Amino acid sequence: EAGVTQSPTHLIKTRGQQATLRCSPISGHTSVYWYQQALGLGLQFLLWYDEGEERNRGNFPPRFSGRQFPNYSSELNVNALELEDSALYLCASTSPGPPYNEQFFGPGTRLTVL
Amino acid sequence: DAKTTQPTSMDCAEGRAANLPCNHSTISGNEYVYWYRQIHSQGPQYIIHGLKNNETNEMASLIITEDRKSSTLILPHATLRDTAVYYCIVRVNQAGTALIFGKGTTLSVSS
């Protein structure tokens, strides 16, 4: 069974640009979570998508947004990039229905903002 | 904010048991204790979870105190590949509940 995949592995942008990160969940999984792991701040919850809708978001500004496609893959967009957006962005997926025990994480996209 | 307290770091000799403690004194009755680990710069990996009974799987054992205010993750025979940051998380087991990660415990296994 293929795991969660993310692309690209690395992304380098400059301040003010936009970044697009992609995530493909495990086959059969309908929920996708996005997390940010910035140096010194730990892993923080960003967004939750389920059945194509944004269901919840963490304490991040609106320039962090995304969407989920009909095939349940997801895209995270970060607009007006700031230096502090440099981080490892992780995507996780879970299966539909209970039990909601385990989130399966992808390898992450490392975003560097110069 | 994370609702758990863990030691910053621990050392363990290869082949010995690693016992990682976690305090969660404000845990609610419907919250589970989850353990994840993150090997350097990889995505976190689920290890085990429990509500109030002790649990064991192929990776580890989870011991939860009777008052549920603390727990211990046990890796019975640590190997060098178990070197990682271990996160203890309390979470309601329902759809959409995000994982709230604290700083975790950095476990260093040496030969």
Side-chain angles (χ1 to χ4, degrees):
Chain A
E1 177 185 272
V4 177
T5 59
Q6 293 186 244
S7 64
T9 305
H10 294 90
L11 188 58
I12 300 175
K13 295 285 187 179
T14 56
R15 281 175 56 188
Q17 286 189 312
Q18 179 196 36
T20 298
L21 291 65
R22 296 179 178 84
C23 170
S24 291
I26 291 172
S27 177
H29 286 190
T30 60
S31 271
V32 170
Y33 299 76
W34 286 95
Y35 292 85
Q36 181 199 64
Q37 188 169 30
L39 203 60
L41 291 179
L43 270 150
Q44 297 185 81
F45 166 66
L46 256 170
L47 291 159
W48 170 43
Y49 289 94
D50 184 63
E51 296 288 351
E53 300 282 334
E54 181 183 308
R55 304 291 184 181
N56 196 13
R57 67 183 294 131
N59 189 25
F60 282 84
R63 57 190 187 82
F64 287 85
S65 65
R67 53 182 172 166
Q68 187 177 34
F69 300 98
N71 66 354
Y72 304 113
S73 67
S74 178
E75 197 174 84
L76 174 69
N77 295 296
V78 188
N79 294 318
L81 284 166
E82 301 178 1
L83 296 178
E84 48 267 34
D85 296 333
S86 293
L88 181 67
Y89 289 84
L90 291 156
C91 165
S93 73
T94 60
S95 57
Y100 307 103
N101 292 329
E102 185 173 353
Q103 293 187 13
F104 296 82
F105 283 82
T109 292
R110 185 161 297 281
L111 172 65
T112 302
V113 182
L114 303 175
Chain B
D1 290 344
K3 298 173 64 175
T4 63
T5 305
Q6 300 177 251
T8 302
S9 62
M10 295 183 66
D11 295 319
C12 181
E14 190 177 23
R16 306 298 293 268
N19 297 287
L20 290 85
C22 179
N23 286 319
H24 31 80
S25 59
T26 61
I27 191 170
S28 301
N30 62 345
E31 288 181 314
Y32 287 68
V33 180
Y34 287 79
W35 284 83
Y36 278 73
R37 73 179 182 184
Q38 186 175 25
I39 296 169
H40 181 64
S41 292
Q42 297 180 20
Q45 176 191 24
Y46 165 85
I47 301 173
I48 199 168
H49 77 283
L51 183 62
K52 50 186 172 182
N53 298 321
N54 297 338
E55 302 288 344
T56 296
N57 63 19
E58 64 279 3
M59 288 183 69
S61 295
L62 174 60
I63 309 297
I64 302 174
T65 59
E66 195 168 339
D67 63 7
R68 303 212 317 127
K69 292 185 177 182
S70 65
S71 60
T72 301
L73 177 75
I74 302 171
L75 306 178
H77 305 286
T79 70
L80 298 179
R81 288 179 294 181
D82 291 323
T83 294
V85 180
Y86 287 77
Y87 297 98
C88 170
I89 299 165
V90 295
R91 171 181 176 262
V92 175
N93 187 12
Q94 65 184 40
T97 309
L99 297 168
I100 307 300
F101 291 84
K103 296 189 184 302
T105 296
T106 299
L107 176 67
S108 300
V109 181
S110 56
S111 56

